[in-house]
Amino acid sequence: PHRASRRPWTAGERDRPMGLFGGTKGRAAKRASEAATKPAPAPRPKPAPSPPAAPPLAPPKPPPPHTDSSSSSNRAPSAPKPALVSPSASANGSPRDSPKTSRRTPGPHLSGLREASKDLKSIVSDTPSPRHDPDVFQSPQESHLHLVQSLKPGEGVYIAAAPSSHSEEAFHRCTVTKVAKTAVSVTLPSGEKKSVPPLEVLPAGSWQPKLSETHDLCALPSLNEATVLAALQHRFSEQAIYTWIANLLVSLNPCQPRDELYGMSAMREFASRDLNKSPPHLYAIAEAAYRGATTESMLYPRSHQAVVVSGESGAGKSVAVKLLSEYLAWRVTRQMDGNDEVRQVGMDVGRVLLLCRPVLEAFGNSTTAHNHNSSRFCKFVSIGMVGGQFDAVTIATYLLERSRIVHHDPATERNFHVFYWLLQAGRPEEMELLPDKASKGHFAYLGGGRAAAETAAETAAAADKMEELRDALAAIGVPAEEQPGLFTLVAAVLQLGNIAFLGDASSGGSRVQYDEPLRLAAQGLGVDPGLLAKYLTNRPVVDRAQRSMEGLDSATEDNDLLKLLSPVEAARCRDSLAKAVYGHLFQWLVRRMNAALAAVRLPRHSGEETGQAAAADSIGLLDIFGFESFAVNSFEQLCINYANEQLHQLFVGTVFTSERAIHMAEGVPFPRIVLPDADAAIRAIAGRPAGVLWLLDSSTRQLGARESAFFIAVNAEADRMQGDPEARVLPLPKRLRVEDAFIVCHFAGDVTYSAGGTGSPTWLDKNNSSLVPELHRAMLGSSSALVQQLFAEGGFGAARRGSSMGEYTDSPGLIRGSYGGSNRGSPGSVLGSSRASYGSPAPLRYSSPNTKRLEVESVSREFILNLDGLMAVLRASRLHFVRTVKPNRQMAADAFSPRMALRQLRCAGTHEAVHVMKLSYLSRVPYDQLFELLGSALPAVFDPARLDRAHFVRCVLPELDVPDRAFALGLSRVFLKAAAAPLLEAALDRLKASDPDSSTARRLTMFATEATERWAAATAIEAAQRAKGHRHEFAAKRRAAQHVQRAQRRAVQRQMFVARAREMAVELIACEAADRIRINVEKEAAKQTVREAQERADLYASSAASAGPSPNEAAPKPPPSGGVFPPQPPPK
């Protein structure tokens, strides 16, 4: 028998005639025959996009398709009520269902429902849907072409300006003269006429920039690169340096003090202001982060917060982080007005946090060709918040540019600030190692004779900076009596740079040229000058057998076999020592800062549970390099640009991907935009095993490796990947050699990275942060307690025990062994303390006795791991982005370079963010919250759960000054575009302050009543449709059950018949067997009788033969034929 279908019934199958046992046998053949006899239908036009799904009419059941109704939904019709006909009967003409449905009469509860349904459908069809927005469903090129083709003669447009050495303009504003499909004719400001392709035309319309209209660039009527740039230039000319792009803050460096924008009065204003009404300002970002970490919000629950401040050198990143820190420190103390102890602790933490800035600025900032106070390291400040107060504040630093200590161009750049401040304003006890009236021209690390002389203004500023630095050092735990030792170590680094080497013709090695710099450097480091000179010009040689048996540490202690170093090798060894000392000192200061910040916490917050709670709510401030592309780009630029690739990917994932996921989950359209993806560039730079940084790490560990071999390996990988769309290391042009450069395609453009020139450190030197074991051991035995502590605790560039390659796990970014434990890649290791990034110190070693690979400390590997941990922390946080922009190269206060600003905006991904935020719906208000906000203007009997939400919101928002195309209805909330959110809030404020009997309130009441009636009508229609479906389903199931019952009865009867037949067959077989047995028995009995008769006859004959025949006797008659008995018929 056939089986009934197990899949659910569909609406069409419920009304079709059922086959045997409820199946649909023969349905495909019937459709095929009908298609064969039916003429081909005419082509139909492409249907329009369907309207968006409606929110639920009655929770929790999901809604039917969008339905609208009018207030006349319950009105009784004047004509006789028509019979309700089944849709299947009218559509398919089923003869079985038509008589049944024609005999039905509608009940009193269904009167007028057909008219109500017609009204609902007509209203929905007349209501504009956001899905028909061409900007949403067209590609960016199609949308742009649509806008260009709609231009009219006389309207304004922008076209790109040709590159020029005497003009910084990026766009020309022109006037349209003619619009064609393939070209647009425009008139330039000079009167020249030009024909431009449509894709190169940026509409400007009749919009003229006004300061009040450009607070948020998403509100611009014409949004493109040119209008964004024009708005920023206009605001800069009006002294407005901050601009919103939705939730992204663009900060223009004013290049002059703007004290009127900051201070206590401005802080109080932002602390008490509604975030949605805040003007663009850094304080608004800080306030949003503070509230996100301390309070619950409707749209965003309390969670980790992180503020990412990025931009190129000179854009104002350090000042922005300083202002954010100042606001957070003030905000915490303001929050704790009622508790004097907690308020004092908050003030102490804020004071120490702000005093860390001068120390980091002195030892980590320098003057570059683009900025006079450029941060040469990355900084992440994690501020734990518990109950609105500071807790577990830590500072982590990354990628200090240590190569600047030993090499920089003195014509345009300088070394770190502390060296110059010490020379110009140091005290006698701090300058014991420096000659009288020493200047930067006396030291090779400061440029020597090529360094420019100090000015009086620089000297005066240096005095103030040194006083501020001394106070800051005392605040972080370096008292005044220890500060001379610290500055003595700084002077020792300068004296190391003055140690020069000459070739020794007699020995073939090198020797120290001047003894005085050597003596002063050894005095500052607390080591013997002879020992220092020995290990700067010689290196112990240990054979493999001795190294494998005794270890490198013990094998080199008393070894007289030395390798003589050339002057170049000795200079590299000297520079490595200088970089190691300064790097250790910098990280030692960071550890002192973290210790000072931890010392001012409340006692009740020092336990483990409190630390876990503090980690739950934190604010991170990230100050990181912007994208860099110079005439000569080296190892530092590659690391910086790799970090920016990671940040760009994070920005894309935060702004684009999350917005799209939220829109799609609610059924709200999202613009079709090709999202920029930096995965390919990230893999090309840091992917194993052929990423650029991994190739550099491998080359650094090779004995005798040269920089040219590394560049050749990178270009060989580029040739291998040539033609692959994922390739980001490009083949070199003919003008460049493979051993001198390679090109990487970044998200912001192609960058050429060059090898180190003559006299400058190579890529291998910059990547190797190890110190030779002899010098490391000498520093551990120093007579200076500070030097011993620096090299014992470790720091940036400290050699750690174990291989630099470590023991890899399957998890990306997680390395065990030499990188400080199995939790090396966890986010907590980045936020815990600066010591989490560095392990215990140990000298340089060979990896094994049978290999020629060194176990060095790789700066690139360390940076990759630290950056991976930082990205993990940022991905777990709600991000706030600040894009700083440098207005001009000269850092002039009244100059704006559009071309330079446009390049920075493109590097920051601002244009893509503007386009998506303009088209998407950024503000989301749940229906329940909207109804609560409207509660004062709605009737008392208003029930939000019993109304048509879609109709009510669609009618209410236009009354509240929200345009139809500025909102979309989701499943659980209404989505508003960026420009519509302030309009709605202003309208709600006016509604609360207005009279309850105002016209707006009366219209809202009318809408609520109408929506309630629509809900009731829609509920009745839905119930009727469900009842009808249930009836059809019940009838179909009943018919199927009857078929199944009949089939089951037939099956039972067949089984009974078969069983009886089997019984009869068994009986017949038994009877036949009995008959055969009986016949066989009778046959055997007959055979036995015959045998007995034959025996008697034989006996008679034998006896007669022996006696002989008697003459008087007649011969015996023979027996009848066939034996004794007469023949019998055969058995049946």
Side-chain angles (χ1 to χ4, degrees):
H2 295 282
R3 292 184 179 180
S5 177
R6 294 184 179 180
R7 61 183 176 84
W9 294 91
T10 62
E13 292 175 346
R14 291 172 185 149
D15 301 327
R16 293 195 186 105
M18 303 299 297
L20 184 62
F21 307 142
T24 58
K25 183 179 181 180
R27 192 177 303 149
K30 182 179 178 181
R31 287 198 299 266
S33 62
E34 291 177 355
T37 58
K38 187 175 180 181
R44 293 180 297 176
K46 186 178 180 181
S50 57
L57 293 175
K61 184 177 177 58
H66 246 318
T67 56
D68 284 339
S69 71
S70 61
S71 58
S72 61
S73 59
N74 294 328
R75 192 168 55 235
S78 57
K81 302 180 180 65
L84 295 177
V85 182
S86 171
S88 62
S90 61
N92 302 329
S94 174
R96 183 176 58 187
D97 291 341
S98 298
K100 294 181 180 180
T101 55
S102 62
R103 291 193 295 268
R104 295 174 186 166
T105 56
H109 64 286
L110 297 178
S111 62
L113 291 184
R114 291 191 65 201
E115 283 73 9
S117 178
K118 289 182 179 180
D119 293 340
L120 290 170
K121 294 177 181 178
S122 64
I123 292 178
V124 170
S125 62
D126 295 338
T127 302
S129 173
R131 289 186 184 271
H132 296 130
D133 190 346
D135 293 336
V136 174
F137 287 95
Q138 293 179 349
S139 65
Q141 291 79 9
E142 294 172 348
S143 178
H144 180 77
L145 290 176
H146 176 76
L147 293 176
V148 172
Q149 294 300 325
S150 62
L151 292 173
K152 297 179 181 179
E155 294 189 4
V157 294
Y158 287 98
I159 63 173
S164 175
S165 59
H166 61 275
S167 176
E168 290 291 334
E169 292 296 330
F171 296 96
H172 292 310
R173 182 169 179 129
C174 309
T175 304
V176 176
T177 57
K178 183 181 178 181
V179 178
K181 182 173 293 186
T182 59
V184 178
S185 299
V186 298
T187 302
L188 298 176
S190 61
E192 178 187 357
K193 296 185 180 300
K194 189 176 182 180
S195 182
V196 185
L199 290 177
E200 298 180 8
V201 176
L202 302 177
S206 59
W207 172 76
Q208 295 295 331
K210 296 180 181 179
L211 194 62
S212 59
E213 296 178 356
T214 55
H215 285 308
D216 191 347
L217 299 188
C218 290
L220 297 179
S222 181
L223 188 65
N224 50 60
E225 282 187 335
T227 55
V228 168
L229 192 62
L232 291 177
Q233 185 174 4
H234 173 71
R235 291 182 62 82
F236 185 77
S237 64
E238 297 291 336
Q239 304 298 318
I241 60 175
Y242 297 116
T243 307
W244 287 121
I245 302 179
N247 297 327
L248 172 68
L249 182 67
V250 177
S251 173
L252 296 171
N253 188 354
C255 303
Q256 62 179 343
R258 294 296 304 277
D259 297 336
E260 70 277 7
L261 297 178
Y262 315 104
M264 290 296 180
S265 59
M267 292 180 182
R268 295 190 188 95
E269 179 182 356
F270 282 92
S272 59
R273 185 186 285 269
D274 186 1
L275 291 179
N276 295 324
K277 301 178 182 179
S278 297
H281 201 286
L282 285 171
Y283 289 167
I285 291 288
E287 180 64 23
Y290 177 81
R291 295 187 188 181
T294 57
T295 59
E296 293 287 344
S297 175
M298 172 193 65
L299 298 179
Y300 301 101
R302 187 175 63 183
S303 62
H304 298 287
Q305 307 288 311
V307 182
V308 180
V309 183
S310 62
E312 72 173 36
S313 179
K317 300 184 300 296
S318 300
V319 177
V321 173
K322 170 191 173 184
L323 293 172
L324 292 170
S325 303
E326 289 177 352
Y327 183 88
L328 291 174
W330 172 86
R331 189 67 172 83
V332 168
T333 58
R334 181 180 182 274
Q335 182 71 16
M336 298 299 169
D337 289 340
N339 191 329
D340 293 339
E341 180 184 3
V342 174
R343 187 170 183 269
Q344 183 61 39
V345 169
M347 294 176 62
D348 294 340
V349 174
R351 180 179 59 83
V352 175
L353 182 61
L354 294 178
L355 287 175
C356 292
R357 183 190 61 82
V359 180
L360 293 174
E361 180 179 334
F363 288 86
N365 289 21
S366 67
T367 299
T368 66
H370 304 276
N371 184 15
H372 65 277
N373 189 26
S374 175
S375 298
R376 308 317 300 165
F377 65 99
C378 302
K379 177 178 62 177
F380 184 75
V381 181
S382 177
I383 305 173
M385 306 296 295
V386 174
Q389 66 183 20
F390 284 142
D391 187 271
V393 181
T394 57
I395 299 175
T397 59
Y398 310 94
L399 198 64
L400 176 68
E401 190 183 0
R402 299 182 306 127
S403 61
R404 179 171 291 271
I405 301 170
V406 300
H407 177 77
H408 61 275
D409 185 5
T412 58
E413 298 190 350
R414 300 175 65 175
N415 213 318
F416 294 104
H417 291 327
V418 65
F419 295 114
Y420 303 94
W421 296 349
L422 178 62
L423 290 176
Q424 297 171 3
R427 295 173 179 173
E429 62 271 16
E430 300 169 348
M431 302 176 62
E432 294 180 355
L433 302 182
L434 302 177
D436 296 337
K437 298 181 180 180
S439 65
K440 55 187 177 181
H442 292 86
F443 301 97
Y445 282 169
L446 301 184
R450 295 185 298 166
E454 299 89 350
T455 62
E458 291 179 351
T459 305
D464 298 336
K465 292 292 185 179
M466 279 297 292
E467 288 299 327
E468 184 181 11
L469 176 60
R470 295 186 185 101
D471 295 340
L473 288 172
I476 66 171
V478 183
E481 57 272 14
E482 296 182 8
Q483 293 179 12
L486 186 148
F487 290 113
T488 299
L489 196 58
V490 173
V493 172
L494 291 178
Q495 293 294 348
L496 277 174
N498 287 344
I499 299 177
F501 301 94
L502 293 176
D504 191 348
S506 59
S507 63
S510 61
R511 59 182 178 84
V512 177
Q513 182 178 9
Y514 303 110
D515 294 336
E516 184 63 16
L518 176 66
R519 183 188 65 80
L520 294 175
Q523 178 182 347
L525 295 175
V527 296
D528 180 66
L531 183 65
L532 181 60
K534 175 183 177 181
Y535 291 128
L536 286 178
T537 57
N538 302 276
R539 181 174 299 173
V541 178
V542 183
D543 60 6
R544 296 181 180 178
Q546 185 178 2
R547 185 190 307 118
S548 60
M549 295 176 57
E550 303 178 6
L552 185 63
D553 294 347
S554 59
T556 58
E557 287 181 358
D558 300 323
N559 191 3
D560 295 333
L561 183 61
L562 301 176
K563 175 187 176 182
L564 302 179
L565 301 180
S566 65
V568 175
E569 293 174 335
R572 289 180 179 176
C573 187
R574 174 205 62 197
D575 293 342
S576 297
L577 178 60
K579 291 189 293 184
V581 171
Y582 194 87
H584 283 296
L585 179 60
F586 185 81
Q587 285 302 323
W588 179 79
L589 291 172
V590 174
R591 289 194 295 271
R592 283 297 183 100
M593 297 175 195
N594 290 326
L597 290 169
V600 294
R601 297 169 59 186
L602 288 175
R604 60 186 182 89
H605 288 171
S606 58
E608 181 179 357
E609 298 180 359
T610 305
Q612 297 175 354
D617 305 319
S618 63
I619 302 175
L621 303 178
L622 177 62
D623 177 5
I624 196 165
F625 307 105
F627 188 84
E628 292 187 356
S629 178
F630 304 138
V632 178
N633 301 284
S634 186
F635 171 71
E636 292 81 11
Q637 280 69 45
L638 180 62
C639 292
I640 290 169
N641 293 341
Y642 168 65
N644 279 271
E645 291 281 0
Q646 291 272 26
L647 285 177
H648 183 69
Q649 184 77 341
L650 183 65
F651 178 74
V652 169
T654 301
V655 177
F656 296 164
T657 308
S658 61
E659 290 294 326
R660 180 174 58 182
I662 293 173
H663 281 65
M664 294 306 178
E666 289 281 340
V668 176
F670 192 78
R672 293 191 309 171
I673 293 180
V674 180
L675 304 180
D677 193 357
D679 280 339
I682 293 173
R683 290 193 300 269
I685 298 175
R688 288 182 295 179
V692 176
L693 293 179
W694 291 103
L695 292 176
L696 177 62
D697 182 83
S698 178
S699 299
T700 306
R701 292 185 298 110
Q702 287 284 351
L703 274 175
R706 295 181 178 273
E707 185 183 41
S708 58
F710 159 67
F711 278 84
I712 292 174
V714 173
N715 285 291
E717 181 65 19
D719 294 338
R720 188 184 68 84
M721 295 292 292
Q722 189 173 4
D724 190 343
E726 297 293 325
R728 291 297 181 269
V729 181
L730 307 179
L732 282 178
K734 294 183 178 180
R735 59 182 177 85
L736 297 176
R737 300 192 306 171
V738 295
E739 62 270 17
D740 291 339
F742 63 87
I743 300 176
V744 177
C745 178
H746 293 281
F747 72 95
D750 299 346
V751 179
T752 301
Y753 298 95
S754 305
T758 304
S760 62
T762 66
W763 284 59
L764 305 184
D765 295 335
K766 293 180 179 180
N767 188 53
N768 187 358
S769 62
S770 302
L771 192 62
V772 294
E774 297 77 22
L775 289 176
H776 182 271
R777 205 165 36 249
M779 295 301 108
L780 290 177
S782 170
S783 60
S784 171
L786 177 59
V787 175
Q788 289 184 6
Q789 185 179 3
L790 294 184
F791 283 83
E793 293 181 357
F796 191 93
R800 294 170 289 272
R801 297 197 179 275
S803 171
S804 69
M805 298 299 292
E807 178 185 349
Y808 287 95
T809 66
D810 294 334
S811 302
L814 189 64
I815 292 184
R816 292 196 298 265
S818 64
Y819 285 97
S822 60
N823 62 343
R824 178 65 187 86
S826 61
S829 65
V830 178
L831 295 179
S833 67
S834 61
R835 284 174 293 184
S837 301
Y838 309 97
S840 57
L844 181 83
R845 303 188 306 171
Y846 289 89
S847 57
S848 68
N850 299 320
T851 184
K852 292 185 178 181
R853 297 177 69 86
L854 288 173
E855 296 180 354
V856 302
E857 304 306 325
S858 173
V859 176
S860 60
R861 182 182 300 273
E862 187 77 16
F863 182 66
I864 290 174
L865 296 177
N866 288 342
L867 189 61
D868 288 343
L870 178 62
M871 291 298 110
V873 175
L874 295 179
R875 291 188 185 98
S877 307
R878 183 192 170 197
L879 300 177
H880 308 266
F881 290 95
V882 178
R883 293 289 191 251
T884 57
V885 177
K886 183 179 179 180
N888 57 80
R889 292 182 178 86
Q890 297 77 19
M891 300 294 289
D894 55 349
F896 186 87
S897 173
R899 190 178 300 278
M900 184 175 181
L902 179 63
R903 177 182 57 81
Q904 296 177 70
L905 293 175
R906 287 175 176 173
C907 292
T910 307
H911 177 65
E912 292 84 355
V914 167
H915 188 60
V916 169
M917 293 176 179
K918 175 70 175 180
L919 298 180
S920 61
Y921 302 88
L922 291 179
S923 300
R924 311 160 189 61
V925 181
Y927 291 123
D928 295 336
Q929 184 188 9
L930 182 61
F931 297 151
E932 291 177 2
L933 297 175
L934 297 173
S936 60
L938 295 175
V941 296
F942 173 72
D943 186 3
R946 301 180 64 84
L947 84 161
D948 185 353
R949 296 183 174 187
H951 172 74
F952 177 71
V953 174
R954 186 183 295 109
C955 295
V956 166
L957 291 182
E959 291 294 328
L960 299 178
D961 301 333
V962 179
D964 291 337
R965 296 170 67 91
F967 70 91
L969 303 179
L971 297 177
S972 61
R973 60 192 66 195
V974 57
F975 283 66
L976 301 170
K977 290 193 175 181
L983 299 177
L984 177 60
E985 293 183 358
L988 291 175
D989 293 340
R990 292 195 304 270
L991 184 63
K992 292 178 181 179
S994 63
D995 187 8
D997 295 332
S998 62
S999 60
T1000 304
R1002 288 196 300 269
R1003 289 183 63 82
L1004 293 182
T1005 303
M1006 181 188 68
F1007 292 147
T1009 304
E1010 183 178 341
T1012 304
E1013 293 174 355
R1014 287 166 54 86
W1015 184 87
T1019 304
I1021 294 174
E1022 204 174 23
Q1025 292 291 340
R1026 284 196 298 266
K1028 179 182 177 181
H1030 292 333
R1031 287 194 297 270
H1032 281 286
E1033 186 176 0
F1034 173 74
K1037 288 182 178 179
R1038 181 174 61 183
R1039 291 192 296 269
Q1042 292 172 355
H1043 287 305
V1044 172
Q1045 289 175 357
R1046 286 195 294 270
Q1048 185 67 22
R1049 286 195 294 269
R1050 295 190 189 108
V1052 171
Q1053 291 173 2
R1054 284 195 297 270
Q1055 292 175 0
M1056 294 176 61
F1057 174 79
V1058 171
R1060 181 57 181 162
R1062 287 177 178 174
E1063 292 176 0
M1064 296 175 65
V1066 170
E1067 292 177 358
L1068 179 60
I1069 292 171
C1071 292
E1072 292 179 352
D1075 290 342
R1076 285 194 295 271
I1077 293 173
R1078 180 181 57 79
I1079 292 172
N1080 292 334
V1081 171
E1082 291 176 353
K1083 285 183 178 181
E1084 291 295 330
K1087 292 179 180 180
Q1088 184 67 23
T1089 303
V1090 172
R1091 285 194 296 270
E1092 292 176 355
Q1094 189 66 35
E1095 291 176 357
R1096 287 195 298 272
D1098 293 341
L1099 181 61
Y1100 174 74
S1102 65
S1103 62
S1106 63
S1110 176
N1112 297 326
E1113 293 180 358
K1117 299 179 178 180
S1121 62
V1124 179
F1125 301 100
Q1128 296 181 1
K1132 296 182 181 179

